[in-house]
Structures are given as C-alpha cells and as structure tokens.
Amino acid sequence: MSQDLAATGRLRLAVAQLNPVVGDVAGNLALVRKARARAAEEGADLVLFSELFLSGYPPEDLVLKPAFVAACKAALEELAGETADGGPGLIVGLPWREGELLHNAVALIDGGRVVGVRFKVDLPNYGEFDEKRVFQPGPLPGPLGFRGIRLGVPVCEDAWGEEVCECLAETGAELLLVPNGSPFHTGKAERRLQVMVARVVETDLPLVYCNQIGGQDELVFDGASFALQADRSLAFQMGEFVEEIAITEWRRDGETWICENGPRVPLPDADAANWQACVLGFRDYVEKNRFPGVVLGLSGGIDSAVVAAMAVDALGAERVHCIMLPYRYTSTESLADAQACVDAMGLRYDVVPIAPAVEGFSEALSGLFAGTEAGVTEENLQSRARGTILMAVSNKFGAMVATTGNKSEMSVGYATLYGDMNGGFNPIKDLYKTEVYRLAAWRNANRPEGLKGPAGIVIPQNIITKVPTAELRENQTDQDSLPPYEVLDDILECLVENEMSVGEIEARGHDRALIHRIEHLLYIAEYKRRQSAPGVKITRKNFGRDRRYPITNRYRDRS
C-alpha cells in the first residue's frame, strides 16, 4: 500500500543513471524493470530516469515512424500496470503523440496507471541538438502529484532557461526532478552545475539532475547526475562515466525538502574525463552495433598507438587486432615501436607488407602516368593499399576497422580518402594532435577504474617523443607541410571552436599568411570530412553535428 508522503514527510528517491540503447524498446523496458526491482529492494518510493529513456536518446528521425512511437507507448502502459503492486512509482521519458502533435514527453506512473504526462517546452536546436525537426513544444507545465507531493518535472533544456522552472514553482512544485540527455564535452559538468544553481536561486526549490550515460554515435553521455539543496549547496554527486542507481533520502523541513544522504563521488579532471569519454564512446559504438571487435593499422606513430590503447581499455586485448603494414619508407624505429606497443598491451599483431599492392597499382597506372613526376598521388597509393587491406580483414572476419586520424589532420585534410580514413569509428577524431600527445602521457601514468587495459606504460615513450611522420617518402616529417602542432592547433581552435576572424587570430601572435593558409586548408577539406567515419565528440564544436559548413564555399576572410 502506497504511503502518503506528505504526511510522513519522507521521500526515498532512486536516481537511475543508466545506458539505454536507441531503438531498443524491449531492452530499455528491461532496464527500467531491473532498476525498479533494485529500488524496491532498497525501499524507494520513486525512480527517476533520464530523458526519453524508453526510446533511447537522441532518437532523431526514428520518432517519425508511427510504429516506433506506438511501441514506446505500449511499453509505458505495461510498466504502468506493473506499478499496481504498491512498489516504487516511475518517472520515465518517451516520445508521445497527442492528436497531430508529437512531443518529447515524460510520464509519471504509479498505482497501476499513468498519473500524468508532461511535454518538453524548450526544444533545443543548436550544436548537436535538432529537436525542432521532429518534436512540437508543449505548453508550460504544472506540477505532477505523487503520493501527496507536488513534483516539477522540467525536461532537460526546460531547466537550462528560466521560464519553465519559474512556472513550476509558481504553480506549487515542491521539488524539481530534471530528466536529462546532456552530452559530454570538456568542461560540461561544471557548466551544468552553474546553470542548475541559477534555477535553484530563481525558484528556491531543491533540484535533482538525472543524466544518462553511454555512447550514441558521435555523442557520449557522461552521467554525473547530482542534486542541489534549496540553499544551493550540493546535496549529492554521482560518478561520471559510471552506470549506477543512487538511493537518496529526502525529508520535509517546513516548506522545503532536504536531501539527508546520497553519494559524494569526486569528478575526474579534464584529461581523465576526455580519455574516459573516448573509451566509452568507442566501446558503446562497437557493442551497440554488435561488432565482435576492432582491427586497426598500427604504424608505430602516436595516433594509432593511442587508438590501440583506447580499444584495449574499451574492449579488452582479446578483441583488438593490430596490423603493421610496412613499405620501403617504414623505418626500423617504427617497426620496433609498434612491436613494443603490442607487447605492452598483449595484443594480437600481424605484419602485412604492402609492396605487392602498391607496385601493382603503380604498374596498372604506369601508362596513364608516363612522363609525370612522382608525388602525392604515389604517396597516397600507399595509404590506399593499407586501407584496402584493413577493410578486407574486416570483411573477412567481421571486426570493425578503427580509424586513427586526429582533429588537427582532419581539419587541414592531412588524410587520404579511401586510405587511412577508412573505417567505422574514430575515437580520437575530436582530439587535436597536442591533446593526443598529452593524453598518451596521461594514460601511461593513470588507469581509471573499470578500464580493461593494463596499468603502467601502454604507449612506449619513444612513440611520444619522436618526430611525427606519415612515412610516405624518405625523411618525411609532418612539419614538412604543416606548422608545429602547438601553432596549428591554436589557430584551428580559434577558427573552428571560436569562429574568430583572421585579425583576431593574428593578434594572438600568429603570422597572417599562415592563418590564411590554414583557413583555406580547413575549407577545402570539408568534402573529405563529410566522408569520414563518425567519432567521439570531445570539444564544444566537433566536425559533423556541431559544425555544418558547406562543401562548396568560396568565402575567405581577408579582412
């Protein structure tokens, strides 16, 4: 028999920071049932789930399929019937059709029925979000009544602005419960806290922020759910990149509710968070798309070594296959470094020379290329031979090819279409080269709990300290055609993340002609990026969802 919580002045709230799968309604329903059973064992009154949990988030155009929306509603109705057992009520999200309108909705179910449904008002339409494309906004909501308590349930973006929370406070809400699908980028956890503190200041209400965890294509959701007391102090903090259910105790004190206990988990620093985001996004892309493992070309360079380490941390060494693809320009140093890398992590390792493939292509093209100078075209044949071999191994054995290009190279087109750009997913796609180096050193000194790779040195020091090179010709280095990465990455961050003008970048001490050159390379490489593998979003503006520049583009900043 459900208690009147207003009379007891006590609320036991379970916060479910879980990893749903987009489109897997049956699987997500099973997660809800499992979480409810666990919460019931702990004596919880109510379980709060993250945004659109039954459908998975973000469902994108999948919600335009009526059968999918109907399946989500049928799942909710099953759950509602199960709450007749007197156990915990549930706050769970799903797409909801009301007449001709499709909404991003959240439902409260308890006592064998759907107690009420509220619709998201503020549909985000920036960066990685595109909800106005598929959903219609709901009206300003009032609180939902749960066993004598009036709960305000603003959905994600509704709590990032003032209007919805103020409306809930003015209409009698006692506690704000916020289901979220808030993707990770560097510094995002601190930003969420700042925004939610502002909502508490405006409403004088305590607030619980429930975020999902897991990878969904390019996006990673880091969890880090938390709550704030009405006095703005931190009530509890759940872990980042950890799937868990927190049981929290709340007590009515006069006109407000006070959280008496909950977890206090310290959040990782920026490098630790970025590494764990890459690993989680990589793992979930492989697992949720049911690949048996990954295969990658291991060159002896920093990028492929870091991707190999992330793959082992995500999947375990037994599911990672590294292949060295040497040619005449591959140095003995690179061969030794690649061997040291696989030895450090216990990886499967094969060597497949590419000379027969490259020479076969060269012979086939000899008539067409007669009388021309050898150059970049011939260099790219090496990369394309490697890409073809890796894709053949993938086709034969089923493992996904992991791509290993960093954001610096992807920005300026320092990558070969149908060559080293081949693959299904790229965990370092949104990391600049300087960040790749820094994270390599960080991982050698750290191994966060829950990762599957070994502790200690996993990326040999020589790989970190040696001069970077693609080894496509004799004595080649990256700086033959690019400025030092410290310079390049600063210019790129100004252009990509901050949309700064040439004049503003020049004021930072960079050469104007170099800025013009980098800007030009950035724009003309857009067609390559459109054909690249997806990769984990780490920065505020990644290539893909966040930055939608035209391929055909003659604009250049000459101010």
Side-chain angles (χ1 to χ4, degrees), residues 94-266:
L94 72 162
W96 184 282
R97 183 165 294 282
E98 188 81 3
E100 296 299 313
L101 301 180
L102 182 63
H103 295 288
N104 179 335
V106 62
L108 170 62
I109 54 179
D110 188 41
R113 65 190 182 93
V114 178
V115 175
V117 180
R118 295 293 183 266
F119 304 137
K120 189 172 183 178
V121 178
D122 191 357
L123 302 175
N125 200 49
Y126 58 86
E128 64 267 31
F129 301 110
D130 202 9
E131 289 193 30
K132 288 183 180 178
R133 173 183 171 85
V134 294
F135 291 122
Q136 287 75 47
L140 285 171
L144 288 163
F146 175 70
R147 303 183 187 178
I149 306 176
R150 297 184 301 280
L151 302 174
V153 190
V155 180
C156 198
E157 195 77 10
D158 287 347
W160 285 70
E162 301 174 8
E163 187 178 27
V164 174
C165 291
E166 287 185 348
C167 178
L168 287 165
E170 290 167 359
T171 52
E174 302 171 58
L175 177 63
L176 297 177
L177 305 181
V178 189
N180 290 270
S182 179
F184 172 84
H185 66 65
T186 305
K188 186 70 172 289
E190 293 84 353
R191 177 61 180 152
R192 292 184 195 121
L193 185 60
Q194 292 168 359
V195 173
M196 294 307 117
V197 166
R199 300 293 84 79
V200 173
V201 169
E202 292 154 4
T203 62
D204 290 321
L205 295 177
L207 179 149
V208 180
Y209 187 101
C210 176
N211 193 27
Q212 75 178 55
I213 185 172
Q216 172 58 29
D217 298 343
E218 301 102 317
L219 301 180
V220 169
F221 298 88
D222 56 318
S225 304
F226 63 91
L228 297 167
Q229 309 278 23
D231 66 2
R232 304 185 295 283
S233 62
L234 187 68
F236 67 79
Q237 175 67 65
M238 297 171 67
E240 198 168 20
F241 309 106
V242 178
E243 193 170 7
E244 60 183 335
I245 299 171
I247 308 297
T248 66
E249 297 271 3
W250 295 77
R251 171 177 57 84
R252 188 195 290 278
D253 184 15
E255 296 299 314
T256 191
W257 287 84
I258 295 175
C259 183
E260 293 187 321
N261 76 298
R264 289 294 188 106
V265 182

Side-chain angles (χ1 to χ4, degrees), residues 311-539:
V312 174
D313 279 352
L315 305 170
E318 69 280 1
R319 297 176 65 189
V320 181
H321 182 189
C322 293
I323 302 179
M324 162 59 83
L325 299 147
Y327 190 51
R328 67 180 68 163
Y329 305 119
T330 303
S331 66
T332 54
E333 181 183 38
S334 291
L335 292 167
D337 287 340
Q339 184 67 59
C341 190
V342 298
D343 289 345
M345 290 184 276
L347 298 173
R348 178 185 173 186
Y349 181 59
D350 289 297
V351 178
V352 180
I354 65 169
V358 174
E359 290 161 11
F361 281 128
S362 298
E363 176 62 28
L365 293 164
S366 60
L368 284 174
F369 289 2
T372 65
E373 293 289 328
V376 172
T377 300
E378 286 72 18
E379 293 176 12
N380 285 346
L381 286 178
Q382 299 168 52
S383 180
R384 292 191 171 112
R386 291 182 173 113
T388 299
I389 290 168
L390 290 172
M391 288 305 303
V393 173
S394 174
N395 289 162
K396 179 62 72 172
F397 301 110
M400 182 194 77
V401 175
T403 316
T404 61
N406 60 71
K407 191 171 187 176
S408 307
E409 295 169 354
M410 294 302 298
S411 295
V412 296
Y414 199 69
T416 304
L417 272 176
Y418 325 120
D420 58 328
M421 288 178 64
N422 279 4
F425 196 78
N426 181 356
I428 66 169
K429 183 179 180 179
D430 202 29
L431 292 173
Y432 289 111
K433 188 81 166 189
T434 50
E435 294 173 308
V436 173
Y437 278 111
R438 190 176 68 249
L439 287 181
W442 177 89
R443 178 59 180 86
N444 279 345
N446 299 274
R447 181 188 176 275
E449 186 178 350
L451 302 188
K452 296 185 177 182
I457 303 296
V458 294
I459 300 165
Q461 190 62 28
N462 192 59
I463 290 178
I464 298 174
T465 58
K466 70 182 180 181
V467 175
T469 172
E471 292 191 326
L472 297 175
R473 61 176 181 271
E474 291 287 356
N475 302 315
Q476 182 187 28
T477 71
D478 290 4
Q479 270 57 68
D480 293 343
S481 51
L482 297 174
Y485 281 113
E486 294 80 5
V487 174
L488 176 64
D489 289 355
D490 189 65
I491 294 173
L492 287 171
E493 187 171 356
C494 291
L495 289 169
V496 176
E497 273 81 19
N498 298 318
E499 299 287 3
M500 292 168 65
S501 69
V502 168
E504 290 171 321
I505 302 171
E506 185 180 23
R508 293 171 63 87
H510 294 296
D511 177 72
R512 191 175 186 83
L514 177 61
I515 302 166
H516 284 157
R517 176 172 169 251
I518 299 305
E519 179 199 43
H520 178 70
L521 291 174
L522 176 67
Y523 286 159
I524 65 172
E526 186 64 37
Y527 82 101
K528 287 187 178 182
R529 291 190 292 271
R530 292 286 185 94
Q531 300 178 66
S532 64
V536 178
K537 172 183 164 66
I538 295 294
T539 65

Side-chain angles (χ1 to χ4, degrees), residues 68-90:
F68 177 67
V69 175
C72 293
K73 189 172 183 180
L76 182 77
E77 290 169 348
E78 281 187 49
L79 285 172
E82 292 166 14
T83 63
D85 62 6
L90 304 174

